[in-house]
Amino acid sequence: MSIASKIAELKAALPSSVELVAVSKTYPPSAIMEAYEAGQRTFGENRPQELVAKYRELPGDIRWHLIGGLQTNKVKYVAPFVTMIHSGESAKLLEVIHKEALKNGRVIDVLLEIHIAREESKHGWQEDELLDYLAAGVYRELTGVRFRGVMGVATFTDDMECVRAEFTRLSALFARLRTEFFDDRFDTLSMGMTADYPVAIECGSTMVRIGSYIFGARG
Ligand SMILES: *Cc1c(COP(=O)(O)O)cnc(C)c1O
């Protein structure tokens, strides 16, 4: 099936409350253009340099999401144009995003990445650390950051009950944070990839990040 028909099929299958981020990391600009011609405008990349190169080359109405781990010294490259950063995973990083956003006269949409998987290698806040950080209140001074929700990557496993338990926990944390610390603008629950997006949607996802299903297996 072509990239265009994959996009069409996904758009038809996803509930209207769920936004599709087409994860184009490692795929060439020509593949992104195929998805673009099929109407897709939101793309996700995980490396700042690759994101910047594609941003420069491709149409200006693409909404670029950074979905992967971000080093603080790389924030300045994406701050001028990035639409959303999914990997807000430390106090230091949030502070740097805030500063770089203000330098560019912007407020950047950011998700708090939560560590929900069993693998230690995965990124993100531990729940108790995040609750302590938010309770301390410093985040309210970060006027360059618009806190939009949370993001999580489930354990890489065939055991969908494990994945479901992780997504259920993330969904509950999302609801708790919205009532305790934020408001209705905290509206984005980014969870679900090629292997697990149907389960993520059942657990309340509002944004899925799908790459290999659309573009084919990465090399
Ligand atoms: C690569 C990646 C995805 C997409 O993964 P697929 O399995 O190709 O759909 C989603 N989220 C993050 C954080 C990723 O790094």
Side-chain angles (χ1 to χ4, degrees):
M1 235 197 313
S2 67
I3 290 172
S5 37
K6 290 286 177 66
I7 294 282
E9 190 192 76
L10 275 172
K11 291 242 153 120
L14 296 175
S16 58
S17 55
V18 177
E19 185 176 359
L20 171 63
V21 179
V23 176
S24 49
K25 65 186 187 198
T26 77
Y27 301 105
S30 58
I32 298 177
M33 280 313 295
E34 274 186 67
Y36 181 90
E37 301 293 350
Q40 181 64 24
R41 290 294 180 274
T42 305
F43 291 89
E45 290 281 335
N46 69 339
R47 289 171 197 267
Q49 285 96 328
E50 189 176 341
L51 175 57
V52 170
K54 287 174 172 170
Y55 162 71
R56 290 198 179 126
E57 183 170 342
L58 291 161
D61 62 342
I62 289 180
R63 295 181 291 272
W64 293 105
H65 287 210
L66 188 70
I67 61 170
L70 179 58
Q71 289 170 310
T72 51
N73 63 345
K74 303 276 170 63
V75 176
K76 58 178 179 286
Y77 302 120
V78 301
F81 68 90
V82 73
T83 298
M84 181 177 270
I85 296 176
H86 289 228
S87 42
E89 57 168 326
S90 72
K92 179 72 195 153
L93 181 60
L94 293 171
E95 191 189 319
V96 173
I97 295 171
H98 154 72
K99 286 187 177 148
E100 293 296 332
L102 294 189
K103 277 189 204 163
N104 287 278
R106 302 187 68 212
V107 181
I108 297 177
D109 284 354
V110 176
L111 303 180
L112 295 163
E113 181 172 359
I114 315 294
H115 188 281
I116 57 171
R118 290 202 201 127
E119 297 107 330
E120 286 301 319
S121 57
K122 296 258 162 83
H123 293 263
W125 293 89
Q126 299 295 335
E127 285 188 32
D128 51 350
E129 278 172 12
L130 176 62
L131 291 168
D132 287 349
Y133 167 73
L134 292 174
V138 194
Y139 74 95
R140 285 197 218 97
E141 292 158 25
L142 305 181
T143 51
V145 172
R146 191 181 294 110
F147 290 92
R148 289 294 306 278
V150 300
M151 181 274 238
V153 178
T155 302
F156 183 69
T157 172
D158 291 337
D159 178 0
M160 283 300 135
E161 289 319 304
C162 168
V163 169
R164 185 182 300 278
E166 292 169 357
F167 284 155
T168 301
R169 221 177 63 226
L170 185 60
S171 185
L173 179 66
F174 169 61
R176 175 175 175 191
L177 296 180
R178 190 175 51 209
T179 49
E180 280 186 30
F181 299 103
F182 301 103
D183 56 27
D184 290 350
R185 285 167 296 180
F186 194 80
D187 59 2
T188 304
L189 176 52
S190 168
M191 60 184 193
M193 316 182 5
T194 294
D196 55 23
Y197 75 87
V199 177
I201 291 169
E202 286 169 18
C203 296
S205 171
T206 70
M207 186 175 275
V208 290
R209 310 175 308 273
I210 300 182
S212 43
Y213 180 76
I214 298 169
F215 296 107
R218 281 180 295 272

